[in-house]
Structures are given as structure tokens and as C-alpha cells.
Amino acid sequence: QVQVEESGGGLVQTGGSLRLSCAASGRTFSNYAMGWFRQAPGKEREFVAAIRWSGGYTPYADSVKGRFTVSGDNAKNTVYLQMNSLKPEDTAVYYCAVRSRGPTSTALVRGSDYDYWGQGTQVTVSS
């Protein structure tokens, strides 16, 4: 019903920057919030950042706070993740997710808070 596609991943050196994009599309759907998660080899998927279109709520994981910035365009069902000062520990597959159902009172830090997921984009930070 809803397609989610990430782009912008790649290889970058420590201290570099990368900007991820995610676009959601479908015949008709509600978009209350969009988020970013990542999963490194041998580790569980973890929350990175999210944006709730109403209320100005943008939570961040402690590990990325101050370095990553989430933004987007609700009308275009598009979200971005600007990643600065990248570290090797940021290496992971980054996934974009869409929360279609409301209300938007959830903290948006759990995978179960979302309804649709992209295929992921690889981000590799070399030391």
C-alpha cells in the first residue's frame, strides 16, 4: 500500500557528512510521523531520530544528538537525515519508517510505532 525508499547512503571518512533522504508514496495514506533506525552487523536495530509533523517533536538517540538533524516536508511525504561528524560506530544499514496511524502521542522511538519500512541504505564510515 505504501512504498518507502531511502537514498543517499555511501562511504565516507570519519568526520565527514552525509545526507539521507526518504520518500513515501501510495494511492492514499496518512503520514503522522517518519523516523530513522539503523542496524549494524551483529546488533539489534536501534532508533536514530524521528519527526512528528504536528507538535514539533523530534526525538534523537543520545548517540547521535548534536551530530544528526532530522527534517522533512510533510506535504511531500519526505524526510531527511543530515549526518555530520560521522564516526565508525555510525556504520550501519539505515532504515526509514512511516507511521500512518494516529494519534501522534507515541514517543516514536520503537520499531512498533511504525507501519511501513524502506529497504534500507548502507552507510559506511571508514577510520
Side-chain angles (χ1 to χ4, degrees):
Q1 183 176 343
V2 177
Q3 294 181 330
V4 183
E5 296 186 11
E6 308 95 334
S7 63
L11 176 63
V12 65
Q13 294 184 353
T14 297
S17 298
L18 209 57
R19 183 178 176 85
L20 305 183
S21 299
C22 175
S25 62
R27 291 185 298 277
T28 178
F29 69 98
S30 297
N31 181 357
Y32 293 98
M34 296 180 71
W36 291 96
F37 290 76
R38 67 186 182 185
Q39 186 168 24
K43 297 184 178 180
E44 295 184 352
R45 180 181 59 189
E46 66 174 348
F47 168 76
V48 177
I51 181 168
R52 186 166 63 207
W53 302 117
S54 178
Y57 179 63
T58 55
Y60 292 89
D62 289 340
S63 60
V64 306
K65 187 176 182 180
R67 299 188 297 120
F68 291 10
T69 302
V70 64
S71 63
D73 186 336
N74 187 197
K76 296 183 180 297
N77 298 129
T78 301
V79 68
Y80 306 98
L81 185 67
Q82 179 65 46
M83 305 184 293
N84 299 325
S85 301
L86 284 163
K87 305 174 181 179
E89 49 262 48
D90 294 318
T91 295
V93 176
Y94 284 70
Y95 297 92
C96 175
V98 177
R99 180 180 174 86
S100 180
R101 62 189 185 277
T104 57
S105 59
T106 177
L108 300 174
V109 300
R110 296 181 179 183
S112 59
D113 290 335
Y114 299 85
D115 304 296
Y116 304 101
W117 294 80
Q119 79 289 343
T121 184
Q122 177 71 48
V123 172
T124 302
V125 184
S126 63
S127 60

